[in-house]
Amino acid sequence: MATSEPWTVERLLGWTTDYLKKQGAEQPRLEADLLLAHACGCERIELYTQRFKEEPDEAIRTSFRSLVKRRAEGEPTAYLLGRKEFYSLPFRVTADVLIPRPETEYLVMALLDEAGKRTAELNPLPEEEGGVAATAAKKGALAKAPAFKVIDVGTGSGAIAICAAKYLPASQVTAVDISAKALVVAEANAVDLEVSDRMTFLESDLLEAIPANARFDFVCSNPPYISQSEFDELPNLIKGYEPTVALLGGQTGCEVIERLIPQAAERLEAGGYLIMEISPMIEAPVHNLITADGHFDPPSTTKDLAGLPRIVRARRKVR
């Protein structure tokens, strides 16, 4: 970066965007913005509204160069920043947890959708209520949702569980993970987002540590679902940094899910839902596993923004 011209924020961003683009970054400008804002200790918007023509001091530039170097070597931006936004909430992330992804937000939406339906069944709107009044009532329905019992299996950073606690404020949420280190991150996020008083964290291999007589309205999970062949083809950005135990689902990608389905069936209330994120590659096998279990109504699938099968939900039979 040696030059006689001053390294203003504008120039640093331009140079870094070009550099990261050459290194194969998918969103080089966004990543340059985020890394420089982190080095400056400010919000991204401030780079443009207050600092664009400023020349950061040497300490900031040194910190920024280090971040850019690590990013160019493959380290994910979220780990460099130590945070990632998910469902409009800020989450701490470390190398002990998966980086929350937009696809997983569809799981939260599926959970809130089913919770909303259950709430409407318990508290139906008057038949004459419609228009603006009905819309307002529906928007406020989740705030008045009953005390659902929700469990998030393989919670990682706690993203799904914390969203459940945040947007279903009367609910009691249990978050389990096989990794004690991941649970430390999840608990810190629950404290940050002020929902820890309604959450329980437990180290468990799937639901094995959950009493057989415990019952839940919703069992949610973003389980390891990547097959060995898919894992082998993943970019180093993912398999070189994110925890393998949270990614690799076995030879076919279904092995963990195959264990989870009967455990969920045993602990779901009649009419309760199992909601899982899956790989688009295993939609049919997952449906077959749920059907073969015999405790669920026929499952359904929600597609993500790319039109790929992403979220499977299955209702525990009432009888």
Side-chain angles (χ1 to χ4, degrees):
M1 290 188 184
T3 178
S4 57
E5 296 181 44
W7 281 104
T8 62
V9 163
E10 178 183 16
R11 197 149 177 264
L12 284 168
L13 290 176
W15 187 94
T16 304
T17 298
D18 291 341
Y19 177 66
L20 291 179
K21 185 175 182 179
K22 291 175 184 176
Q23 303 304 310
E26 292 185 1
Q27 297 179 295
R29 183 61 181 223
L30 173 61
E31 294 187 43
D33 286 358
L34 293 172
L35 294 175
L36 185 54
H38 184 69
C40 291
C42 70
E43 297 296 323
R44 180 186 173 203
I45 187 75
E46 292 178 41
L47 297 178
Y48 294 90
T49 60
Q50 300 176 29
R51 303 185 177 215
F52 203 54
K53 298 298 182 180
E54 288 184 7
E55 183 178 1
D57 62 34
E58 183 58 33
I60 290 175
R61 294 202 305 275
T62 298
S63 174
F64 181 56
R65 282 194 295 268
S66 174
L67 291 170
V68 172
K69 180 176 183 294
R70 290 166 63 188
R71 179 66 192 91
E73 290 171 350
E75 191 167 350
T77 297
Y79 288 154
L80 294 172
L81 301 177
R83 66 180 186 276
K84 179 70 174 181
E85 184 175 292
F86 177 83
Y87 214 79
S88 300
L89 297 174
F91 286 87
R92 302 186 194 194
V93 293
T94 73
D96 295 313
V97 301
L98 283 183
I99 299 168
R101 289 170 166 77
E103 293 84 358
T104 307
E105 293 184 349
Y106 285 86
L107 195 158
V108 175
M109 287 188 275
L111 167 63
L112 298 182
D113 178 47
E114 296 300 343
K117 290 177 184 176
R118 182 77 66 84
T119 301
E121 290 172 2
L122 296 171
N123 301 288
L125 292 174
E127 290 185 6
E128 68 274 10
E129 190 168 335
V132 175
T135 301
K138 290 176 182 177
K139 285 183 178 179
L142 288 178
K144 299 177 182 177
F148 292 125
K149 291 182 179 179
V150 182
I151 188 165
D152 176 26
V153 185
T155 197
S157 65
I160 295 168
I162 288 168
C163 284
K166 197 77 174 177
Y167 297 109
L168 298 173
S171 295
Q172 292 294 319
V173 182
T174 302
V176 302
D177 203 287
I178 197 171
S179 167
K181 291 181 178 179
L183 288 171
V184 170
V185 178
E187 289 190 61
N189 280 322
V191 172
D192 290 346
L193 293 166
E194 301 180 337
V195 294
S196 60
D197 60 319
R198 291 181 288 104
M199 297 189 67
T200 301
F201 297 87
L202 182 65
E203 188 176 345
S204 177
D205 181 3
L206 301 182
L207 294 172
E208 288 184 3
I210 303 298
N213 62 354
R215 292 293 179 268
F216 297 92
D217 298 289
F218 298 99
V219 174
C220 301
S221 184
N222 178 15
Y225 57 65
I226 296 175
S227 68
Q228 185 64 60
S229 60
E230 287 179 291
F231 183 82
D232 293 340
E233 297 299 319
L234 286 176
N236 192 59
L237 175 71
I238 298 174
K239 70 179 180 182
Y241 291 91
E242 299 193 60
T244 300
V245 69
L247 291 166
L248 184 58
Q251 196 64 35
T252 68
C254 292
E255 284 81 349
V256 175
I257 293 172
E258 186 173 9
R259 291 173 52 218
L260 175 60
I261 290 169
Q263 293 182 21
E266 183 178 15
R267 293 165 179 83
L268 273 169
E269 296 279 8
Y273 273 86
L274 170 62
I275 305 175
M276 298 183 294
E277 179 176 337
I278 63 163
S279 162
M281 305 293 291
I282 61 172
E283 180 192 13
V286 169
H287 277 228
N288 291 338
L289 287 169
I290 292 171
T291 301
D293 179 79
H295 291 99
F296 294 92
D297 292 334
S300 63
T301 300
T302 301
K303 294 183 178 181
D304 61 21
L305 193 60
L308 299 173
R310 185 61 61 184
I311 306 300
V312 169
R313 57 180 108 178
R315 183 173 180 259
R316 181 69 158 83
K317 289 180 178 178
V318 175
R319 64 182 193 278

